[in-house]
Amino acid sequence: MGQVAAFFDVDGTITREGLISELFRKMVTYELIDEAKWQEEVKPAFTRWNRRIGDYDHYLQKMVDIYLDTVKNTQPFLIEYIARKVIEQNYERVYTYTRDKIKWHRSQGHLLIAISGSPVELVREMARRYEMDDFSGTVYEVGADGTYSGVIRPMWDSRSKDQAVRAMAKKHDLDLDACYAYGDTSGDFTMLDRVGKPFAINPTRELLEKIVAHPGLKKKISIIVERKDATYQLDVDCLNLI
């Protein structure tokens, strides 16, 4: 029997806000990103998503593109500093359910592992703040000159997260059938499917559709919704998407 771990997505699963959004705004404040790029390129996509007439992935991609263009040829210590500030100011803006689950898993002696599509600098700081045992995030590679090269190793897609879970299982000698996973988007699908005890936290429609269409995952998953001061569990067999 291997060890038991709990895998946590971060953005939208632990935190109520997307960390990369907060990082982006902080970089505008520190004038690393031109305010005009926010106003002209990102804000319209954010506004459409915020009004629920646009796509979140489109908004996210806008930020990622500008972020990548900004950090290229930048020294990592600048991003690491801003990442620390973002986590210091936002680490408590989390869902009650997942915060309590982190405490419970720690009390059970389970390993705590963060797997997130946010830049690894943010994920590292969040993992430290919550005393997690390991983490994996999107890596913006550093070149021979000590600055970001512009090469990305993403962690926001389902394939990458599946690879990360399998790598963690090998590294920590995990029994995946006994492990837990918590996620909220379709990018978390394989991570949820890979373990024996998956939880969808405030899941997106796309993730719900994948769950319903996948009998193996549908049979074992728990769907948790937290709104205001109430947390409740949905019966997967009674889901009626409208």
Side-chain angles (χ1 to χ4, degrees):
M1 289 289 290
Q3 294 194 82
V4 176
F7 297 96
F8 286 87
D9 170 58
V10 177
D11 299 62
T13 299
I14 298 178
T15 63
R16 302 200 304 269
E17 305 291 341
L19 290 180
I20 192 170
S21 301
E22 298 301 323
L23 179 67
F24 191 95
R25 293 188 183 102
K26 187 71 72 177
M27 290 172 73
V28 172
T29 299
Y30 282 98
E31 299 183 350
L32 288 175
I33 295 177
D34 193 327
E35 173 73 21
K37 288 185 179 290
W38 165 258
Q39 294 293 340
E40 297 170 10
E41 299 183 43
V42 178
K43 188 176 180 180
F46 169 76
T47 300
R48 287 182 60 80
W49 170 73
N50 199 38
R51 293 174 179 172
R52 297 303 188 264
I53 58 174
D55 184 62
Y56 177 78
D57 287 340
H58 176 65
Y59 161 54
L60 178 63
Q61 191 60 54
K62 283 286 186 183
M63 283 192 298
V64 169
D65 290 345
I66 294 173
Y67 177 82
L68 177 59
D69 184 58
T70 299
V71 301
K72 190 175 181 180
N73 300 320
T74 298
Q75 293 185 331
F77 79 87
L78 289 172
I79 303 303
E80 291 167 358
Y81 172 79
I82 296 173
R84 285 196 297 272
K85 290 297 181 183
V86 168
I87 299 304
E88 284 174 9
Q89 295 170 11
N90 294 278
Y91 79 95
E92 291 183 306
R93 292 178 57 80
V94 298
Y95 287 111
T96 301
Y97 182 84
T98 42
R99 182 187 61 204
D100 290 347
K101 278 294 184 179
I102 288 171
K103 293 178 181 177
W104 181 80
H105 284 295
R106 185 180 293 115
S107 73
Q108 299 301 304
H110 299 162
L111 297 180
L112 296 169
I113 301 174
I115 298 182
S116 171
S118 280
V120 70
E121 293 83 359
L122 282 170
V123 183
R124 181 189 300 118
E125 290 301 320
M126 194 67 175
R128 285 175 180 169
R129 183 67 66 168
Y130 281 90
E131 299 179 345
M132 292 186 162
D133 300 282
D134 213 336
F135 61 89
S136 186
T138 295
V139 174
Y140 293 77
E141 293 188 359
V142 177
D145 64 352
T147 66
Y148 290 107
S149 66
V151 177
I152 306 177
R153 284 187 277 130
M155 190 55 65
W156 55 70
D157 61 287
S158 198
R159 178 173 174 271
S160 298
K161 288 199 172 186
D162 186 46
Q163 291 175 339
V165 168
R166 287 189 284 113
M168 290 291 184
K170 183 177 181 179
K171 179 180 178 180
H172 296 289
D173 186 28
L174 302 179
D175 177 4
L176 289 177
D177 287 336
C179 287
Y180 299 73
Y182 302 82
D184 69 315
T185 69
S186 62
D188 300 314
F189 175 79
T190 51
M191 180 175 77
L192 296 170
D193 191 39
R194 182 66 64 177
V195 303
K197 300 174 183 178
F199 292 77
I201 310 299
N202 298 322
T204 63
R205 182 185 184 89
E206 186 177 3
L207 177 57
L208 285 174
E209 289 173 345
K210 287 190 172 186
I211 291 169
V212 170
H214 194 282
L217 181 56
K218 181 180 177 181
K219 182 179 180 180
K220 62 182 178 179
I221 199 165
S222 298
I223 298 178
I224 306 298
V225 176
E226 181 175 325
R227 289 291 182 268
K228 296 185 172 63
D229 60 349
T231 302
Y232 45 95
Q233 183 170 335
L234 300 181
D235 186 334
V236 184
D237 292 324
C238 294
L239 280 179
N240 182 24
L241 296 175
I242 57 175

